[in-house]
Amino acid sequence: DDEIHVRQKVMLVDPEEEAEFDREFRALMQESLDSRKLELRARPTLNMMIPMNVFEGQGQGHGSGRVSEGESGDEGTEYEEGGGRKEVQVKVLVKRGSKQQTRQMLIPSDCSLVQSTKQKEAAELEE
Amino acid sequence: EETGDDESYEYGKGDFMEHACKYCGVQNPACVVRCNVPSCRKWFCNSRGNTSGSHIVNHLVRAKHKEVCLHKDSPLGETILECYNCGCRNVFLLGFISAKTESVVVLLCREPCLNVNALKDMNWDLSQWCPLIDDRCFLQWLVKVPSEQEQLRARHISAQQINKVEELWKTNPDATLEDLEKPGVDDEPQPVALKYEDAYQYQNVFAPLIKLEADYDKMMKESQSKDNLTIRWDIGLNKKRIAYFVFPKEDNELRLVPGDELRLRYSGDAAHPAWQSVGHVIKLTAQEEVALELRASQGVPVDVNHGFSVDFVWKSTSFDRMQGAMKTFAVDETSVSGYIYHHLLGHEVEFQMVRNALPRRFGAPGLPELNASQVFAVKNVLQKPISLIQGPPGTGKTVTSAAIVYHMAKQGQGQVLVCAPSNVAVDQLAEKISATGLKVVRLCAKSREAVSSPVEHLTLHYQVRHLDTSEKSELHKLQQLKDEQGELSSSDEKKYKALKRATEREISQSADVICCTCVGAGDPRLANFRFRQVLIDESTQSTEPECLIPLVLGAKQVVLVGDHCQLGPVIMCKKAARAGLAQSLFERLVMLSVKPIRLQVQYRMHPSLSEFPSNSFYEGTLQNGVTINERQSPGIDFPWPVPNRPMFFYVQMGQEEISASGTSYLNRTEAANVEKIVTTFLRSGVVPSQIGVITPYEGQRAYIVNYMSRNGALRQQLYKEIEVASVDSFQGREKDYIILSCVRSNEHQGIGFLNDPRRLNVALTRARYGIVILGNPKVLSKQPLWNGLLTHYKEHECLVEGPLNNLKQSMVQFQKPKKIYN
Ligand SMILES: [Zn+2]
Ligand SMILES: [Zn+2]
Ligand SMILES: [Zn+2]
């Protein structure tokens, strides 16, 4: 009966509140975008090289990549979750001050981010 | 793994871990992020609960916060989310991209980094930019959504509760949801009244409202810190260091103005120690670049340009002066005359004539001839202890005010005090009064002394510096020394200050008229002055307590000038506004049946343009002081649908459009048509300074500016010189041609800002030669006033559609207007 009690408390989304929130959300998004367009007359310089050690195993020497729950194994491996959804491990490249670090993370294999990598890998294999 | 369902955790008692979601209490580290705004630092989870966005997104949107940090026990560890390339931390702009060949991903901002061409040559795949916030929720693989079980156990917060608690946090960041139930929190403050028993009751009503507004203002400003600023250094004429940087506008709520105090910070690096300095804004450019004059010139890291932060330094001065004025009003019997005292409180008082000899002529030297309604106003005002003058747009309010002040000053009642809420209005008035030959001193706030002014020669600080008598040479010498060295020895500084104060006093006392803002009338430099005659211009744009500041210096004769059919004072705190703080003293006096004297001849608008405003806002009493011929622009070839009627309503059916990314909210068609109209004007020989584009929303304003300079058919510079601004910032001003882009046409929400008749009045009465309105008649016609406007345009065959070079009358059907409930 605990669950029934909880379900009774569920409220519906008020359409007017929702519209109002939506409006504010989009306004904020647009303002963010526009403010950047105005602000950056000078285009930023790029510093987007991928540090070589990213390719060498577990990113030694630059802070150990944190390993997310229950995974081990090599990169690029696909994991099957309880629900049957596949996940793939990626490295997230971040900066700590001026230092580059990587962190490991699982993302769903149907995410557009990994899709393209996988397609290319497949294409390369075929060649 | 076992958490145990019987765990006696008391939800809703504020007994949470620090990182529990402030809305619902979920505390799984993988599901929460911290808002990274220094004044906030609250945690929120990524579940939606009963709202359309996840809790963290709800918070960011409602609080207008934009930076977050992940939990230390989350997969990525304690990480502030930022653009890998430029360090931008605005989560609304961030998204992931991945490397072309490796399983490496990185956060990158959409603008500008994602669009940097050089990136295409690198190893990154730009085709799959994956926004951090997707469907109003953080990417669920980055910040997990709490499990169903966790959500069921969490507090079920509604969107309304979220709004309320966010509102509460603006003034009390430590408030909890439980505080919403506490008595008093949700209570509305006591509303303003028409009449008051005494000045103590008056103070009891207004003091809490001013406090609310002050608290809100403080919270707003102090949460506006900005990081990663790029500074351009310069040196001012007074040898002071000036920092130039871009301070992007966040929303409609906060606008930087000259005189604002900001703190500039640098956190230091290997070669520079940490540094900070306070300064005043002395200039704002159209490109939103701010010039900040620093107080101290020493130790400024001028060889560094990047990585600066800026905070607002909130000052309570103006609110303190309002509170002070109310107190003086209550306790000091000499603050205002008995007649004024009772009248302001709404008591019945027997009418008193002011016994002063009337001049034979009511005009004043140096001013244009007065028309009949202006003469009537001057004559009336001079005989009455309290009067209201209503000046509709373009009716010569300033000239009339200057003539009144001229005659008052000639009556020998002592110095006249002239105020207005805004510096711009004070400057205009000071200039006109000075033209009559009276001796005028314009008193500026100390923080604005470096701000350039069109009446600099009238300002007190200028007059002190340029006083050229031998006895002042000591002050002059010390001033020179100070300018050269930046500072004086402490004994010299003492001497300098004393001399300066004495000189200031002397100059002020010898003036016929002192001009300052209402808040400026509370300046300590005027503390020992008494003013029997006070004129306040634009008084309908100031709050009552603000108006009181100049009055309590001994007022016996008060003239309030304004127009209650145009915009009133800006009140940020909704609660205070609802309680009536937005109602001006002028308006209350009108309700107490003090009849305003209306100036009736307008000299601004082409007669076709004044017709609708006159009928809708001024009972048809507005007469035209300009003829059609005087408002014809020879040689300007613009496709007005009806010759001699330089106006049209341009039907825009382009709905608000959401871009493919689902993030953009705009009326692009309208913006594109604004550009076309502007271009047509420019091609026909109109110069940029003659054109004003009015648009209600900051987002659209920025979009139009950007769109015109990128897509404009003519030289970019031309478009940059065109002023695009809100209705509010056009109040009190005029342009030859106005283009009004209504932008919003939202079926659920109504028409927002355009609902206020006073704002529509202001928007419609800025143009001298011609006006073009862009909007969606289907939506606008639901509002009665807009329905009237549309009908007016239609009847005059000025409701059109189609391409600009082939405008056709529109047959669009209007909707029935809804009744207004007030
Ligand atoms: Zn926050
Ligand atoms: Zn939550
Ligand atoms: Zn960036």
Side-chain angles (χ1 to χ4, degrees):
Chain A
D1 60 342
D2 198 30
E3 248 176 55
I4 290 161
H5 177 69
V6 174
R7 275 194 192 133
Q8 280 175 332
K9 277 182 11 190
V10 171
M11 291 161 276
L12 289 171
V13 181
D14 175 0
E16 216 164 277
E17 290 276 7
E18 193 179 353
E20 152 82 8
F21 175 74
D22 224 47
R23 187 176 71 82
E24 282 195 28
F25 178 88
R26 287 182 302 188
L28 194 60
M29 183 72 87
Q30 194 57 48
E31 279 158 23
S32 297
L33 211 52
D34 292 337
S35 71
R36 295 288 283 181
K37 283 179 185 160
L38 292 171
E39 182 182 348
L40 290 145
R41 272 153 294 172
R43 295 264 135 184
T45 48
L46 274 173
N47 179 20
M48 294 283 295
M49 299 312 278
I50 308 175
M52 283 320 289
N53 61 307
V54 165
F55 306 120
E56 298 154 7
Q58 299 284 53
Q60 286 138 358
H62 281 271
S64 58
R66 203 173 280 263
V67 174
S68 41
E69 39 193 295
E71 57 88 11
S72 52
D74 307 309
E75 64 179 273
T77 325
E78 289 189 356
Y79 302 90
E80 197 123 344
E81 243 191 340
R85 246 174 75 135
K86 283 188 173 173
E87 291 197 330
V88 57
Q89 189 180 321
V90 296
K91 286 179 172 171
V92 183
L93 188 57
V94 293
K95 262 188 206 154
R96 293 276 187 274
S98 57
K99 274 195 185 152
Q100 293 158 323
Q101 289 185 4
T102 59
R103 302 267 163 156
Q104 295 189 16
M105 217 171 146
L106 290 174
I107 68 176
S109 59
D110 57 356
C111 171
S112 61
L113 270 181
V114 287
Q115 280 300 313
S116 60
T117 322
K118 280 168 65 185
Q119 278 164 9
K120 285 210 185 74
E121 272 168 8
E124 271 160 26
L125 273 178
E126 266 176 43
E127 271 171 27
Chain B
E1 201 54 63
E2 279 286 329
T3 43
D5 270 344
D6 313 315
E7 194 184 29
S8 59
Y9 221 85
E10 281 190 278
Y11 284 88
K13 291 276 186 208
D15 203 2
F16 297 124
M17 314 266 298
E18 193 224 353
H19 66 258
C21 173
K22 276 279 181 291
Y23 290 164
C24 72
V26 159
Q27 42 185 293
N28 179 348
C31 302
V32 293
V33 298
R34 192 187 69 201
C35 174
N36 200 44
V37 170
S39 59
C40 180
R41 304 256 163 182
K42 294 182 172 63
W43 292 86
F44 297 92
C45 79
N46 202 26
S47 77
R48 288 177 204 271
N50 302 305
T51 58
S52 54
S54 80
H55 286 168
I56 177 62
V57 174
N58 257 285
H59 167 69
L60 296 173
V61 168
R62 293 301 185 188
K64 301 209 162 71
H65 292 167
K66 296 170 186 171
E67 296 180 13
V68 304
C69 181
L70 302 178
H71 193 274
K72 66 176 173 22
D73 298 330
S74 70
L76 284 188
E78 186 167 356
T79 308
I80 295 173
L81 299 179
E82 59 184 24
C83 171
Y84 183 80
N85 189 51
C86 76
C88 164
R89 291 176 172 181
N90 183 333
V91 292
F92 294 93
L93 296 173
L94 296 175
F96 283 101
I97 55 167
S98 64
K100 279 176 184 157
T101 51
E102 300 298 322
S103 312
V104 177
V105 301
V106 71
L107 267 178
L108 199 68
C109 74
R110 234 172 114 190
E111 185 71 34
C113 294
L114 187 63
N115 296 318
V116 174
N117 275 329
L119 208 55
K120 292 189 183 126
D121 309 328
M122 294 182 156
N123 280 322
W124 300 101
D125 179 9
L126 301 181
S127 62
Q128 299 292 343
W129 183 80
C130 180
L132 193 58
I133 299 175
D134 187 24
D135 191 22
R136 318 285 183 259
C137 190
F138 270 65
L139 284 175
Q140 301 188 6
W141 45 264
L142 184 67
V143 186
K144 298 263 182 304
V145 174
S147 68
E148 216 167 300
Q149 201 56 37
E150 283 170 310
Q151 292 199 39
L152 280 174
R153 283 296 302 268
R155 181 199 285 116
H156 292 228
I157 186 171
S158 70
Q160 271 133 334
Q161 281 173 303
I162 287 177
N163 287 347
K164 275 189 185 164
V165 78
E166 286 289 351
E167 195 66 21
L168 207 54
W169 283 336
K170 286 181 182 162
T171 48
N172 175 14
D174 299 323
T176 64
L177 273 164
E178 287 65 47
D179 290 336
L180 287 181
E181 318 311 328
K182 278 187 192 155
V185 167
D186 220 21
D187 289 357
E188 295 293 318
Q190 197 185 345
V192 301
L194 191 55
K195 301 176 179 188
Y196 300 87
E197 286 295 313
D198 51 38
Y200 291 97
Q201 194 202 355
Y202 183 88
Q203 199 185 354
N204 283 342
V205 169
F206 277 101
L209 300 184
I210 293 299
K211 173 82 168 51
L212 276 175
E213 179 69 3
D215 289 346
Y216 190 91
D217 192 53
K218 182 166 192 276
M219 274 308 291
M220 274 286 306
K221 291 192 166 148
E222 288 184 347
S223 66
Q224 294 288 323
S225 295
K226 293 225 175 357
D227 296 323
N228 292 320
L229 293 176
T230 300
I231 306 286
R232 183 164 66 77
W233 296 105
D234 200 1
I235 292 184
L237 289 173
N238 56 0
K239 304 271 167 37
K240 289 198 174 161
R241 196 49 83 171
I242 300 174
Y244 284 91
F245 55 90
V246 173
F247 189 92
K249 262 189 222 166
E250 291 294 309
D251 47 63
N252 286 325
E253 292 193 284
L254 183 77
R255 257 183 306 181
L256 270 184
V257 291
D260 278 346
E261 207 169 294
L262 301 177
R263 183 185 300 106
L264 193 61
R265 286 183 284 124
Y266 184 64
S267 56
D269 57 47
H272 303 85
W275 166 90
Q276 65 172 44
S277 173
V278 169
H280 289 113
V281 175
I282 56 168
K283 203 166 63 188
L284 291 157
T285 69
Q287 272 68 45
E288 302 189 17
E289 200 179 40
V290 177
L292 189 72
E293 182 189 275
L294 297 180
R295 208 176 273 167
S297 316
Q298 266 149 19
V300 182
V302 287
D303 50 333
V304 188
N305 297 98
H306 300 283
F308 286 82
S309 303
V310 71
D311 324 296
F312 226 96
V313 180
W314 184 78
K315 280 183 299 183
S316 61
T317 318
S318 53
F319 301 104
D320 292 345
R321 289 181 184 171
M322 294 180 209
Q323 300 282 16
M326 287 192 282
K327 196 170 164 202
T328 307
F329 183 51
V331 303
D332 180 0
E333 273 186 27
T334 66
S335 60
V336 296
S337 74
Y339 185 88
I340 303 261
Y341 176 87
H342 290 293
H343 217 106
L344 293 187
L345 294 172
H347 302 167
E348 302 277 337
V349 222
E350 206 171 304
F351 177 72
Q352 254 178 24
M353 276 291 258
V354 171
R355 269 189 296 258
N356 273 330
L358 282 179
R360 274 188 301 133
R361 289 187 60 250
F362 291 97
L367 298 179
E369 279 296 309
L370 301 184
N371 66 39
S373 69
Q374 290 170 332
V375 167
F376 180 77
V378 177
K379 186 176 172 186
N380 242 273
V381 160
L382 290 175
Q383 301 176 78
K384 284 199 271 179
I386 289 193
S387 28
L388 307 178
I389 297 181
Q390 185 187 10
T395 51
K397 222 158 38 91
T398 311
V399 168
T400 312
S401 297
I404 291 167
V405 172
Y406 174 79
H407 292 298
M408 280 181 159
K410 293 291 175 196
Q411 285 172 342
Q413 300 277 307
Q415 295 178 289
V416 182
L417 180 61
V418 174
C419 296
S422 76
N423 280 291
V424 178
V426 175
D427 286 347
Q428 282 173 357
L429 212 43
E431 194 173 14
K432 281 275 184 303
I433 296 168
S434 168
T436 67
L438 292 177
K439 252 166 125 184
V440 174
V441 162
R442 161 73 163 104
L443 179 72
C444 293
K446 284 247 157 72
S447 60
R448 288 184 61 93
E449 289 186 356
V451 180
S452 74
S453 153
V455 289
E456 192 180 30
H457 61 289
L458 300 177
T459 61
L460 182 58
H461 55 273
Y462 180 93
Q463 295 192 36
V464 168
R465 269 178 173 258
H466 295 80
L467 195 70
D468 202 23
T469 62
S470 54
E471 67 215 89
K472 293 299 173 297
S473 59
E474 175 78 15
L475 175 62
H476 197 71
K477 259 183 244 156
L478 287 169
Q479 182 72 59
Q480 256 180 343
L481 205 60
K482 194 178 162 88
D483 288 349
E484 278 159 19
Q485 301 176 344
E487 55 189 294
L488 295 170
S489 71
S490 66
S491 66
D492 274 355
E493 179 70 25
K494 231 175 167 178
K495 213 190 290 171
Y496 167 76
K497 277 198 172 138
L499 276 169
K500 193 172 162 196
R501 218 172 294 136
T503 313
E504 280 176 345
R505 196 164 171 75
E506 203 173 302
I507 294 173
S508 309
Q509 276 172 337
S510 70
D512 300 311
V513 179
I514 304 274
C515 296
C516 58
T517 60
C518 294
V519 167
D523 192 295
R525 287 172 289 179
L526 292 182
N528 295 314
F529 283 68
R530 306 295 285 171
F531 301 96
R532 290 194 193 94
Q533 296 165 304
V534 183
L535 180 139
I536 305 178
D537 193 7
E538 283 188 353
S539 69
T540 43
Q541 286 179 65
S542 60
T543 61
E544 283 211 27
E546 195 178 350
C547 247
L548 216 50
I549 303 172
L551 298 188
V552 297
L553 298 172
K556 284 184 156 174
Q557 192 173 16
V558 175
V559 186
L560 301 181
V561 185
D563 182 5
H564 52 300
C565 297
Q566 296 182 59
L567 289 167
V570 178
I571 305 298
M572 309 271 237
C573 171
K574 284 179 193 146
K575 230 183 208 184
R578 275 199 301 271
L581 188 59
Q583 177 189 278
S584 64
L585 176 60
F586 187 108
E587 276 177 284
R588 187 164 62 87
L589 290 175
V590 170
M591 289 194 279
L592 283 165
S593 45
V594 179
K595 202 170 173 324
I597 304 162
R598 188 183 280 163
L599 305 180
Q600 288 176 325
V601 187
Q602 71 85 15
Y603 298 93
R604 177 182 297 161
M605 294 162 269
H606 184 289
S608 301
L609 306 190
S610 68
E611 191 182 340
F612 181 80
S614 173
N615 290 334
S616 307
F617 306 107
Y618 304 102
E619 297 94 33
T621 59
L622 221 50
Q623 298 157 30
N624 296 308
V626 283
T627 62
I628 292 176
N629 284 337
E630 285 170 291
R631 283 292 173 267
Q632 237 156 17
S633 20
I636 303 294
D637 177 32
F638 189 83
W640 301 110
V642 181
N644 275 336
R645 229 173 236 291
M647 58 186 229
F648 64 90
F649 191 106
Y650 199 2
V651 175
Q652 305 288 307
M653 293 313 244
Q655 287 292 324
E656 282 168 30
E657 176 194 328
I658 303 169
S659 73
S661 62
T663 55
S664 165
Y665 137 63
L666 280 177
N667 202 325
R668 288 168 200 269
T669 358
E670 231 172 78
N673 280 325
V674 167
E675 184 272 323
K676 289 201 182 90
I677 295 163
V678 166
T679 302
T680 309
F681 274 129
L682 293 174
R683 281 213 171 106
S684 70
V686 174
V687 296
S689 62
Q690 290 178 280
I691 306 172
V693 179
I694 299 184
T695 182
Y697 293 96
E698 175 52 29
Q700 177 84 342
R701 190 201 66 79
Y703 182 77
I704 290 180
V705 169
N706 207 22
Y707 182 90
M708 290 201 304
S709 70
R710 287 191 181 186
N711 303 303
L714 304 172
R715 236 170 359 103
Q716 231 190 41
Q717 192 53 35
L718 289 172
Y719 298 96
K720 284 190 175 159
E721 285 164 24
I722 288 167
E723 188 172 0
V724 184
S726 65
V727 184
D728 301 51
S729 55
F730 269 108
Q731 170 137 319
R733 303 171 45 219
E734 59 183 26
K735 286 276 176 189
D736 286 349
Y737 298 95
I738 288 286
I739 301 162
L740 170 61
S741 162
C742 297
V743 182
R744 295 255 357 165
S745 306
N746 173 318
E747 295 281 343
H748 318 283
Q749 269 305 110
I751 49 178
F753 100 107
L754 292 166
N755 244 324
D756 184 347
R758 300 188 299 179
R759 191 168 273 115
L760 179 58
N761 183 17
V762 173
L764 293 177
T765 53
R766 299 306 100 197
R768 300 173 73 222
Y769 286 88
I771 188 168
V772 180
I773 308 172
L774 296 93
N776 180 341
K778 270 205 157 16
V779 177
L780 292 167
S781 57
K782 278 198 272 187
Q783 206 258 11
L785 190 57
W786 274 94
N787 195 288
L789 179 77
L790 287 160
T791 309
H792 175 82
Y793 272 71
K794 191 176 179 132
E795 279 169 1
H796 289 96
E797 303 179 336
C798 295
L799 184 82
V800 294
E801 59 191 25
L804 202 52
N805 55 15
N806 189 21
L807 292 171
K808 292 257 158 56
Q809 281 197 57
S810 170
M811 291 300 137
V812 63
Q813 292 295 311
F814 299 160
Q815 301 206 38
K816 270 212 188 96
K818 280 185 191 158
K819 281 191 195 122
I820 336 170
Y821 301 96
N822 245 343

